[in-house]
Amino acid sequence: MILSFGIIFFPTVKAAWAAPVSALTFRMAGDELRTRVVVMFDEKPDVKPILFDKPHRLVMELSETRFGFDEKSLTPRGLVSSVRYGLAGEGRSRLILSLIGPFKLENMDVIKNENAPGYRMVVDIIASSDREFADDLAAQNSKGNASPAQAAEDKKNREQQQAAKKFTVMLDAGHGGIDSGAEGVTGLIEKDVTLAFARDLRDRLKEEKDFQVFMTRDEDVFLRLGERVRLARQHEADLFISIHADSVPQHYIRGATVYTISDKASDSVARAMAERENRSDEFAGIVPEDLPEVTDILLDLTRRETHGFSLKFADKVVKSLDGEISLINNPHRFAGFQVLRAPDVPSVLVEMGYLSNKEDEKLITDPKWRQLFAERLVVAIRHFATLKKRVSPVP
Ligand SMILES: [Zn+2]
């Protein structure tokens, strides 16, 4: 009896006193590419989102709010690196999400709960690029502030910068930190081998004046697979190359392989390899909760075009390595690699060879062989850059 009384009459009394609303629970799901935040309120909150940079933050301005969050629910995950909240002035509160990089506030809704009292605020945040974030920030801040002339000038500057952007390659040294990857016959560790080769390739690419090159890691640190993809998108990479040198029980298997993404694996070696690689995130402890896949026609089209480019690049790599570097039979294979899932960055995984094979292991540690391998990849990248620019000219 008392309970039903509360539900029926409490809101009316509250509104008359303009008492604070209560934010009851906080939940996050998703990964480094897409994170959803859901906050439950007892009453409809009045909320306004604001973006900030240095560091990247999403601030939710609220009318005075009492927060009853469970500390455990605030543990960072996905794109969110910290959550803070509190009173921001008389009658005003703030909920502040710090993010690991540039982001886009894709969606923010306040919805009346269907089967329970109260409201929920659903916030969808997706990883974006430095350029996109700067655009969003400029658009937000120019509303009623900067003069139209200044806004137009800023926009022109950003467009010029974009047009002058060099062909950008993101190199991803597989594994790192707590995840050491495969182990070779003589005790070589994959995470060291991939980093050494990524550095060789970076240094070689830096000699090419029309390329710009980034690395997902340049030290012995652990990175989630989603974070590797996010970094490629942050820099609007034109190409993502993940470097590996795995190990298989069949010690006779050797030679380089180029992998592209597919939901069906080309063969059992490829399937097993993708399963092994996708387990990398387990080293971080919490495995992010999956969000329902967003089906968006535009995204599908982007994906299809990107996938076409990934296949073309894989083809160029095989052609360039052929006759110079020993290749596995059927050197272009495919499987469901999580690290190759950027919808807008052509991505391949290059398996330099197998650490479980003595000959391959010896080659992988030979600086001369690595130099040759890097040289052949640069040739493939150059061919691909020419092709990509012709097919899809820079706007
Ligand atoms: Zn690996």
Side-chain angles (χ1 to χ4, degrees), residues 50-327:
I50 310 171
L51 314 183
F52 286 94
D53 62 353
K54 298 172 190 162
H56 296 101
R57 276 158 298 155
L58 172 61
V59 173
M60 257 91 65
E61 297 231 281
L62 297 154
S63 57
E64 190 175 341
T65 304
R66 282 196 194 115
F67 296 91
F69 298 157
D70 175 0
E71 278 299 312
K72 265 189 273 170
S73 68
L74 309 177
T75 308
R77 71 154 60 213
L79 280 162
V80 177
S81 59
S82 86
V83 182
R84 285 172 297 142
Y85 52 83
L87 215 57
E90 203 178 327
R92 292 185 300 118
S93 293
R94 280 184 154 191
L95 172 61
I96 304 167
L97 306 179
S98 296
L99 292 116
I100 57 176
F103 65 96
K104 192 170 196 69
L105 176 59
E106 194 192 38
N107 178 54
M108 197 178 99
D109 277 331
V110 174
I111 307 161
K112 192 173 190 320
N113 290 331
E114 295 82 5
N115 303 318
Y119 288 78
R120 63 187 186 277
M121 177 175 76
V122 180
V123 183
D124 286 315
I125 307 159
I126 54 173
S128 75
S129 68
D130 289 327
R131 182 185 60 85
E132 288 167 322
F133 187 78
D135 283 352
D136 287 351
L137 201 61
Q140 167 190 280
N141 296 342
S142 70
K143 269 184 207 151
N145 286 331
S147 69
Q150 184 60 48
E153 175 73 23
D154 291 350
K155 188 163 179 267
K156 205 174 117 202
N157 282 341
R158 285 197 305 274
E159 279 168 2
Q160 274 171 355
Q161 272 175 16
Q162 177 65 5
K165 182 176 163 269
K166 291 178 180 179
F167 186 90
T168 304
V169 184
M170 176 62 77
L171 299 178
D172 174 45
H175 311 277
I178 189 170
D179 169 18
S180 23
E183 201 177 310
V185 269
T186 61
L188 262 188
I189 289 172
E190 186 184 1
K191 67 171 181 178
D192 298 335
V193 167
T194 59
L195 183 56
F197 182 66
R199 283 174 175 157
D200 289 351
L201 184 54
R202 174 201 54 198
D203 295 346
R204 177 60 190 82
L205 275 168
K206 275 193 167 166
E207 292 167 17
E208 306 280 308
K209 64 178 186 327
D210 38 4
F211 289 154
Q212 152 168 250
V213 54
F214 293 100
M215 290 168 82
T216 54
R217 69 176 181 99
D218 189 16
E219 53 189 329
D220 184 17
V221 288
F222 175 80
L223 288 181
R224 278 181 183 283
L225 299 172
E227 176 63 359
R228 297 170 192 262
V229 179
R230 192 193 68 74
L231 286 166
R233 302 195 68 204
Q234 173 164 5
H235 296 288
E236 296 187 349
D238 293 289
L239 186 58
F240 175 87
I241 306 176
S242 189
I243 296 155
H244 289 260
D246 274 317
S247 162
V248 284
Q250 306 90 323
H251 287 209
Y252 59 89
I253 293 185
R254 62 168 303 203
T257 320
V258 186
Y259 286 98
T260 49
I261 197 167
S262 166
D263 44 11
K264 267 208 188 94
S266 54
D267 56 280
S268 59
V269 172
R271 188 183 313 111
M273 158 102 179
E275 277 168 10
R276 244 184 348 264
E277 294 300 344
N278 291 346
R279 277 203 295 270
S280 171
D281 278 356
E282 291 171 11
F283 285 96
I286 50 164
V287 177
E289 242 173 274
D290 279 339
L291 285 176
E293 207 30 41
V294 183
T295 46
D296 177 318
I297 292 172
L298 206 64
L299 192 62
D300 275 356
L301 286 175
T302 315
R303 259 195 199 126
R304 216 171 303 158
E305 194 196 11
T306 303
H307 190 233
F309 279 123
S310 303
L311 297 179
K312 285 195 178 97
F313 179 63
D315 192 45
K316 302 241 172 274
V317 173
V318 169
K319 281 206 181 92
S320 182
L321 295 181
D322 197 16
E324 306 273 350
I325 297 286
S326 89
L327 292 165

